[in-house]
Amino acid sequence: MSGTSTETAAINSISKEEMDKRFDPAGYEQVWQRRWAEKGYFKAEAPSAKPSYCIMIPPPNVTGKLHVGHALQSSIQDLLTRWRRMQGFNALWLPGTDHAGIATQLMVERQLATEGTSRRELGRELFLDRMWQWTEQYHGNIREQLDLLGASCDWTRERFTLDAGLSRAVREAFVRLYREGLITRGEYMVNWSPKLGTAVSDLEVEAKTVQGKLYYVAYAVEGSDERIVVATTRPETMVGDTAVALHPEDERYTHLHGKAAVLPLVGRRLPFVADTAVDRELGTGLVKITPFHDPNDFEMGKRHDLPGITVIGLDGRMTAEAGPGFAGLDRFEAREKIVERLRDEGYLIKIEPHTHNVGHSQRSGEPIEPIVSTQWFCDVRSMADQALAVVRDGRVRLIPDSWDKTWEHWLTTIKPWCISRQLWWGHQIPAWYTEDGRCIVAHSLEEAIAEAGTDRLTQDPDVLDTWFSSGLWPFSTLGWPDDTQDLRTFYPTDVLVTAFDIIFFWVARMVMDGLHFMGDVPFRAVHLTGLVRDAEGQKMSKTKGNVMDPTELISEYGADALRFTLASLDSPGRDIPLNRDQIAGYRAFGNKLWNATRFALSRIPAEARVRETIDPEGLAAPERWILSRLSRVAAEVDARFETFRFDEACNRLYHFFWGDFCDWYIELSKPALSGEAPRPRVGDVLLTVLDRALRLLHPVMPFLTEELWQRLPGHEAIHSETICLAPYPRREEGWEDDVAEAGMEALTQVVTRVRALRTEMGLPPKAKLDLHLNAADSGTGRLLQEQSALIQFLTR
RNA sequence: AGGCCCAUAGCUCAGUUGGUUAGAGCGCUACGUUGACAUCGUAGAGGUCAGCGGUUCAAGUCCGCUUGGGCCUACCA
């Protein structure tokens, strides 16, 4: 509690002291963040008489560090939450973190390696202890960083995907899907990552175009002198061949039907099989079939009832089945060795360069090995159909909707999802095996024992894919499977804000799970943001060294400037080039807010106050005009927030404040405030417009607006404690005044024209001139006449 | 191989359902500092809206093609 006394001093200083000429975000940002938290302004209610508004944070990696992409998404989520909260909604932004299975386990494994040990050496239990230690050590970082950004999360509802409640939800979901027959265990071909030692899903495989080789190998035809030639990119798999395929209508090879080839080096008999999947144009039109090491061959093997042989093991090395001379070799060494033997024995016809796509492990970067193994699968077909339906009928809106087609394509072609991982960090699969090999799926060991009739059970060692638990996030975080008050209050949630790159990993699965388990969509809209890039539009990456750290940007420019920048760059369907000049520009905007407030506070009459509302009756044209403009901007900003056009909303706020308010209204108020040319209620109007402008800006720039708003005399009339809970300004139709706007338009044009003439004629800015105006019509003439003092003031 | 997106000022981008003279920020030029703000003010320069064709009274905007970028999906040995 060492910081308490200084904090109190800082809080006391707010709104009392003379304002500095320059604003300093570091001086108040975290003071306010702490105070808001202490006051509990962001705690949502359940139940509540107010309408609910809910956003679930896309949970970042619990041990991770927030990057600018997180800063972007968090800024948008906070903007929406603060906006709705001010509008009187019972707003919940639920924070939390993800255990991020492979990623986090790898970090700890790397650390163990530096200590000269490994997870295998430690054993599962000790290793998991280390994982939890690691998790606890870094867990606070995410909150710290969100606090720096000004996030208005409800931390009393924070969740972690591995906490007790969410783990229970995971087991419940697994058991239900198993009992519905949608989760099954079986031996299939999976994407295997030898380095990671685990199966991964199709999504975790990245196709990379590589320069490979196409090897042409001669196979003898059984019972004849004929030799046929097959082409392959992976000669090392040939020792696992069990057939040779040809196209049924390929006239070159009709004589081979019913015959067999002989596998070089091994001597195995390989029947010819006819299959239309064979491409006659490619290679020689004859394909070697290795059912256990190629996804196509696996399918073909099933169609023709071919046996499979596992010649590459889970460690990426050749098995004993590969035969003497190859067993134990790494798969790529084996390739060289086998090609060498083929050449030596005269089977190698030729080698051609060949460009093709090879699946690589997204996480480890190595080529994926298609391997047959026993895994758990989730058949998502029926769930996918439901997810298709809700996007088609608009119950879930993707924003921008250009993603609809991608959604459609992926979900219509979706295949069973391999959900088991050979890792330790994650939700262990709730399946137990009896000694006689029965498999019991249950919520708990106790339930499994009861069902099995024995306590001699072994739990399946595998854990679930991280995304299995993430898919449940919108309702597991609210207490599901129990029927909780939170669940009833906040589900379905309103908006999901996330980057497009996890639309399949996560968004689609939440929609499927939400519909399946809750019978309703998890959110009504998905705002998909672009990728944050550097100033040159390059992807940020550690290797390029162009990564921008949000924490550092905040300390340099302030959180409000970063937030404003990110929000104003968030145009639909576009990536976001972030450059420091722009952030600096919005920091200058902050300075503008600061100094406009400073001006108002130093010049208004003592009795001036922020008013809840103002009757324009009896006000002069400049006052009528600024109130009219304010009303229109409030309406526009509201409409833009509704449609997720944060860029346009920010733009309008920026131009209203800097252009209308500072460049014109403040200038116009000067002669009135100084007493040279008094006008009615100028002080009240100035403060009231400032109050509303700050409130309009609050969702984007929470810290500065609070800091300034607290200083406005009479702000308590709007809310007794904080701008965070003050009402969001709406349109005031009674303020909208076409006559005043037209009149001011004429005035500003006159002023601008005079200034331009002065420059064109090379007249010194201070030289006083005579100005004669001829109005085109009497109305304008009268107005300009009325405002002649102002015109003189602005044009000298 | 399919699909999606993009091309507008020196740079990064807006530009709604087609409708006056295409906008902003940064950068640039000139001038300006004792009274909110130099993180500023005033004025200004700068665009064949990638190219070609079409629809229309009217196209940056709609349609087709071309070129040049980017991304996603995909089992071609």
Side-chain angles (χ1 to χ4, degrees), chain A residues 169-413:
Chain A
V170 166
R171 287 193 298 274
E172 177 68 27
F174 187 94
V175 170
R176 282 200 203 175
L177 290 169
Y178 178 79
R179 291 184 181 161
E180 289 162 13
L182 294 176
I183 283 183
T184 52
R185 185 168 178 260
E187 197 178 41
Y188 291 99
M189 176 149 286
V190 294
N191 307 299
W192 185 265
S193 176
K195 267 193 202 164
L196 301 175
T198 181
V200 296
S201 71
D202 294 345
L203 285 173
E204 291 159 280
V205 179
E206 208 177 334
K208 282 189 193 171
T209 304
V210 297
Q211 274 298 334
K213 291 170 183 164
L214 195 56
Y215 302 84
Y216 288 80
V217 183
Y219 286 21
V221 176
E222 193 183 47
S224 93
D225 296 336
E226 188 185 356
R227 296 212 309 179
I228 51 104
V229 177
V230 300
T232 179
T233 55
R234 298 201 59 195
E236 70 278 16
T237 64
M238 67 175 282
V239 290
D241 284 4
T242 57
V244 173
L246 49 85
H247 194 280
E249 283 150 32
D250 193 334
E251 284 154 16
R252 294 172 295 176
Y253 302 122
T254 34
H255 65 288
L256 296 174
H257 289 218
K259 293 190 178 172
V262 180
L263 181 63
L265 313 183
V266 178
R268 186 183 305 128
R269 186 176 180 277
L270 308 175
F272 287 103
V273 296
D275 198 295
T276 50
V278 176
D279 183 345
R280 279 173 278 185
E281 308 302 317
L282 199 75
T284 58
L286 290 169
V287 195
K288 65 190 245 357
I289 301 300
T290 318
F292 278 12
H293 293 287
D294 182 280
N296 294 314
D297 294 6
F298 185 75
E299 291 306 313
M300 206 175 293
K302 280 203 291 192
R303 285 200 289 275
H304 299 281
D305 203 21
L306 300 170
I309 303 168
T310 295
V311 294
I312 300 172
L314 300 181
D315 55 359
R317 293 178 176 278
M318 306 307 285
T319 64
E321 299 265 30
F326 305 127
L329 288 180
D330 173 83
R331 50 190 169 146
F332 299 110
E333 288 167 18
R335 179 178 299 177
E336 301 304 315
K337 197 73 177 273
I338 286 176
V339 170
E340 198 179 301
R341 282 274 301 277
L342 289 171
R343 185 181 287 122
D344 291 349
E345 298 186 21
Y347 291 108
L348 186 67
I349 306 300
K350 61 174 172 176
I351 303 177
E352 284 180 349
H354 184 67
T355 309
H356 61 141
N357 295 321
V358 178
H360 285 65
S361 167
Q362 197 184 50
R363 194 58 70 177
S364 67
E366 66 182 328
I368 282 292
E369 195 57 48
I371 272 181
V372 173
S373 81
T374 301
Q375 302 285 347
W376 290 88
F377 294 87
C378 183
D379 175 9
V380 291
R381 185 63 263 156
S382 59
M383 291 157 85
D385 287 337
Q386 290 195 64
L388 281 165
V390 294
V391 167
R392 284 186 196 136
D393 68 21
R395 287 169 63 200
V396 171
R397 280 190 308 135
L398 303 181
I399 297 154
D401 64 9
S402 49
W403 289 101
D404 287 6
K405 278 193 180 173
T406 310
W407 181 268
E408 189 78 20
H409 178 254
W410 190 71
L411 283 165
T412 46
T413 58

